[in-house]
Amino acid sequence: MKKIGVLALQGDFAAHEKALARLGVASVEIRETKQFNDIDGLIIPGGESTVMLKLLRADQLMEPLRAFIKVKPVFGTCAGAILLAKTVTGPAQESLGVMDMDVERNAYGRQRESQITEIDLEPVSASHTGANKMEAVFIRAPIIRTIGPGVKVLARYQGNPVLVQQGHHMAATFHPELTNDLRVHKSFIEML
Ligand code: GLN
């Protein structure tokens, strides 16, 4: 049985654990270096990427996290996606740089800071799941502005990628842990 860690320094990690539980998958809250040895994959939740970075540095978790990401699958949602990106703007900040994409933080602007909407699944994921739309919650979300050739787009919103995959890593700019649709978590688990 695969065990998934959820980085639990800050943000909505509890909602991810509930989503995993609904899929019958065991999860563990990650707060210490030694815990990385016990998990097969990691979810970095939404929250505030600046705060998460501060806590990662304060708890000396940056290097263990970088080492883990090299060998095991990681799924970042919203702030987690920002942490996985190669470059971050709006403003610029440090990131783990494992996914070849540039993201702009809080990029939807004040008018539409947060919303529940429908995103378009790319044909490859739509044929896999049997529907080409999915409900998605965006909360002060980033926009993925550019992606490298190794990055596969799984879903878009207004033409911009919102769910992407590169090798064994995934990133979503929305919050799949806040809707009842478990397809995104399921596809991450299938990658393990
Ligand atoms: N705006 C947040 C950030 O820049 C991300 C918001 C979220 O995770 N819902 O880190």
Side-chain angles (χ1 to χ4, degrees), residues 29-129:
E29 295 181 359
I30 303 296
R31 296 192 179 87
E32 288 175 58
T33 300
K34 61 175 196 286
Q35 293 179 291
F36 284 109
N37 300 326
D38 302 332
I39 52 172
D40 303 293
L42 179 74
I43 293 179
I44 306 181
E48 261 321 302
S49 55
T50 45
V51 179
M52 247 182 256
L53 273 174
K54 245 183 230 162
L55 296 171
L56 281 166
R57 290 186 199 117
D59 296 347
Q60 261 123 52
L61 283 170
M62 278 306 262
E63 288 321 309
L65 180 55
R66 283 184 196 278
F68 181 85
I69 286 178
K70 275 192 193 141
V71 291
K72 296 272 173 73
V74 175
F75 175 31
T77 58
C78 205
I82 295 169
L83 290 186
L84 292 179
K86 188 183 67 183
T87 55
V88 180
T89 55
Q93 65 187 29
E94 185 186 359
S95 58
L96 298 160
V98 285
M99 293 190 75
D100 189 6
M101 59 182 188
D102 306 314
V103 304
E104 182 187 340
R105 297 176 57 211
N106 305 317
Y108 288 98
R110 289 226 173 146
Q111 294 299 314
R112 290 183 298 130
E113 262 198 349
S114 304
Q115 59 171 336
I116 303 176
T117 186
E118 272 197 333
I119 59 172
D120 305 302
L121 300 180
E122 292 290 289
V124 47
S125 17
S127 65
H128 179 65
T129 59

